[in-house]
Amino acid sequence: MIDNFSPQKMLLRRILSGEFTDQDVDTAQQNFERWIREEWKGAEHIAGAYCMDALEKAAGPYLDALSERDKHAHIWLFMFQCPRSVDPRTGQIDSGSIYLEAIAYRDVTLRSLGGFAQFAQRIRFLLGWTE
């Protein structure tokens, strides 16, 4: 199970800043795939639904102000961070934990250069989701 202190967020910071290696990208992808496999039993669509719900609750007005593709960029990045989603004691989905991570994501993103909207554009640019 990927714990809350995994290198995933550090890798994503390097990727988003443009200071990454191919190995960083490969490792981040492998971490994400392991998170889907181990915490979500391979059900990426269910993980996406929980992450989207948590992010919409945490950042509703900020997401509502964005285009659909910018919303998807934020949801993708939040999900790719592999938020802790399973209670380690019970093995059950912990939506409260996902929500707390969504609040942290919102706060960090709002403090970034250009705020929520500009951050979405940087995500889309890095992913090649440009017009």
Side-chain angles (χ1 to χ4, degrees):
M1 182 178 303
I2 296 174
D3 66 31
N4 224 14
F5 301 102
S6 75
Q8 189 74 351
K9 289 178 183 157
M10 179 189 67
L11 290 169
L12 287 172
R13 277 189 212 106
R14 284 202 306 251
I15 292 167
L16 290 170
S17 71
E19 299 173 359
F20 62 92
T21 66
D22 289 342
Q23 182 62 42
D24 291 335
V25 174
D26 290 343
T27 300
Q29 182 64 35
Q30 290 168 11
N31 288 343
F32 176 75
E33 290 169 3
R34 190 176 77 219
W35 177 73
I36 292 293
R37 188 175 53 254
E38 291 178 5
E39 293 204 16
W40 295 97
K41 297 177 179 55
E44 186 172 341
H45 64 289
I46 294 174
Y50 272 90
C51 287
M52 183 174 66
D53 182 62
L55 196 56
E56 285 176 341
K57 287 177 181 170
Y62 304 104
L63 281 177
D64 291 344
L66 300 177
S67 69
E68 283 301 311
R69 64 193 174 125
D70 284 351
K71 287 179 192 178
H72 287 285
H74 276 291
I75 293 165
W76 176 88
L77 182 60
F78 176 63
M79 187 173 165
F80 203 74
Q81 289 183 18
C82 306
R84 189 176 82 83
S85 51
V86 174
D87 184 319
R89 292 172 291 120
T90 66
Q92 299 298 310
I93 302 295
D94 184 356
S95 57
S97 180
I98 301 169
Y99 175 68
L100 290 175
E101 291 218 27
I103 290 171
Y105 174 90
R106 176 203 65 201
D107 293 348
V108 166
T109 304
L110 287 173
R111 289 190 306 266
S112 72
L113 182 63
F116 221 69
Q118 286 291 90
F119 201 84
Q121 291 174 8
R122 287 198 310 270
I123 297 165
R124 284 190 301 102
F125 176 76
L126 285 169
L127 295 173
W129 296 358
T130 58
E131 295 178 324

